[in-house]
Amino acid sequence: SCNNIFENLFFCCINYDLTNRQYELYINLRNKLSIPYNQEDPIHAKMLQDFFNNLNDIIPEEEDKESENINDSNTISTNINNESNPDNNLIKRLSKKVGFQNNNPSSDFRAGGLCSLEFMNYFAIHHKLELKNILKEKYFSFVLTSINLSFCFRLVLYLTNIINIDSTFKAYNLEGFSRRQIKFFSEQLENESQNMKSFFFSLLSQCLIFVFKKYQSTIEYDKKDENLVKINSINRYVISCFGDVINNIQKNENLEEKLRIKLANEINGIK
């Protein structure tokens, strides 16, 4: 199958670098992060419902002054039974605010898959204050930025089962990480083998916070289209920062802490 071809090519590139255990963990994480979002799956719909419930905790209705201006066309359809359906009023109130593009989230999750929704839920649970600040910004789409960031990180780390990976790199103006970087990242995964997905999302969270802070410091808020282009540029920049951290990480060092320090220094202009 195509997936087996990708897996074999990947193994050929790094089989002299990773231990069998590291390779096993790497492929295991890739498979967990490569599940497509399926609006017909009640488990996926429950995750979407959980996301909106988490948003409701962060932005109660009485705090959302825009709620009365969101009409029925913004309702997100999950195409499943009512028992699993997220509350329609809650969705009408928050879907546009959080950045969904239309009434069908499956189209927004096309690139990022279920991983993107899981990451958004992770961020909403672990970074409530940061998310509340993000949602105050009119032209910063939390949904689209999260999807784009999670997809691009999976891409450069080869944690994806995309077949035409070279053309995808070109489309996103990215390059895959080197074998040395993959090796160092694999060592970190081995240290976090019981919580690999949460570890990956914790790293993404630091990067999303950086993207938003960088956005706030550089964006002209009245130019929506230019803002979206700028956000994608910042996404690519934070990936390069992440690559720099991996290049200099020691086996006994904490990758998340090193990344946090690196990004804080970038915001403050410290080289």
Side-chain angles (χ1 to χ4, degrees):
S1 70
C2 291
N3 283 351
N4 287 335
I5 292 172
F6 173 84
E7 197 164 311
N8 290 336
L9 287 172
F10 180 81
F11 182 75
C12 287
C13 291
I14 64 171
N15 61 349
Y16 293 110
D17 303 319
L18 304 190
T19 66
N20 289 338
R21 173 64 173 163
Q22 289 168 349
Y23 175 74
E24 178 185 333
L25 291 172
Y26 213 92
I27 295 300
N28 181 262
L29 178 61
R30 189 208 70 181
N31 291 340
K32 288 180 177 180
L33 297 177
S34 298
I35 300 171
Y37 177 80
N38 180 4
Q39 62 182 355
E40 305 291 342
D41 190 322
I43 296 176
H44 295 191
K46 177 62 166 58
M47 290 183 186
L48 184 62
Q49 177 179 346
D50 290 343
F51 174 63
F52 278 102
N53 289 339
N54 288 328
L55 286 180
N56 191 47
D57 291 339
I58 294 170
I59 306 180
E61 186 170 2
E62 58 270 18
E63 292 186 17
D64 188 4
K65 297 179 181 180
E66 296 181 0
S67 60
E68 296 180 358
N69 297 324
I70 300 178
N71 58 40
D72 291 342
S73 66
N74 293 318
T75 303
I76 290 180
S77 170
T78 54
N79 292 337
I80 60 169
N81 59 54
N82 289 333
E83 183 178 349
S84 301
N85 236 350
D87 177 76
N88 283 336
N89 291 330
L90 181 63
I91 291 177
K92 282 192 290 186
R93 181 168 70 84
L94 293 175
S95 60
K96 185 175 181 179
K97 188 176 187 68
V98 79
F100 282 110
Q101 296 186 94
N102 55 48
N103 66 348
N104 187 350
S106 63
S107 61
D108 285 330
F109 293 134
R110 187 166 51 246
L114 188 64
C115 163
S116 298
L117 177 56
E118 290 180 292
F119 169 55
M120 286 156 50
N121 255 328
Y122 178 94
F123 196 90
I125 292 170
H126 296 280
H127 299 280
K128 289 183 170 63
L129 178 59
E130 289 85 352
L131 181 52
K132 189 167 186 175
N133 290 332
I134 286 172
L135 296 181
K136 291 177 182 177
E137 294 294 345
K138 184 177 181 181
Y139 292 139
F140 189 95
S141 170
F142 171 69
V143 168
L144 295 184
T145 306
S146 297
I147 290 173
N148 186 275
L149 198 61
S150 59
F151 174 78
C152 289
F153 263 85
R154 288 172 51 219
L155 186 65
V156 298
L157 286 165
Y158 300 95
L159 291 169
T160 174
N161 55 13
I162 292 175
I163 305 306
N164 299 319
I165 198 163
D166 286 340
S167 60
T168 307
F169 278 135
K170 292 177 182 177
Y172 282 82
N173 194 21
L174 292 169
E175 293 182 0
F177 280 8
S178 68
R179 289 168 56 182
R180 182 172 180 268
Q181 289 171 313
I182 297 293
K183 171 65 175 176
F184 288 175
F185 183 72
S186 301
E187 291 172 351
Q188 293 286 318
L189 278 186
E190 194 170 20
N191 294 337
E192 303 288 342
S193 59
Q194 300 302 312
N195 303 286
M196 289 191 299
K197 195 186 291 186
S198 293
F199 173 64
F200 182 70
F201 290 156
S202 71
L203 299 174
L204 279 182
S205 295
Q206 296 302 319
C207 293
L208 177 56
I209 292 169
F210 171 84
V211 170
F212 178 65
K213 288 180 177 179
K214 197 74 173 175
Y215 165 90
Q216 285 186 306
S217 68
T218 59
I219 291 299
E220 295 180 27
Y221 294 98
D222 59 336
K223 298 180 180 179
K224 181 178 180 180
D225 292 339
E226 291 183 16
N227 287 358
L228 295 176
V229 171
K230 184 65 174 179
I231 290 171
N232 289 334
S233 175
I234 299 172
N235 281 350
R236 290 191 294 271
Y237 179 70
V238 77
I239 288 172
S240 71
C241 292
F242 181 70
D244 290 342
V245 172
I246 292 181
N247 279 336
N248 295 289
I249 196 77
Q250 301 299 316
K251 191 169 185 178
N252 60 341
E253 291 182 318
N254 183 286
L255 178 56
E256 183 182 0
E257 183 60 24
K258 293 279 287 186
L259 180 62
R260 184 186 294 112
I261 293 171
K262 167 70 173 177
L263 297 181
N265 288 342
E266 290 290 329
I267 287 290
N268 294 323
I270 302 172
K271 300 300 181 182

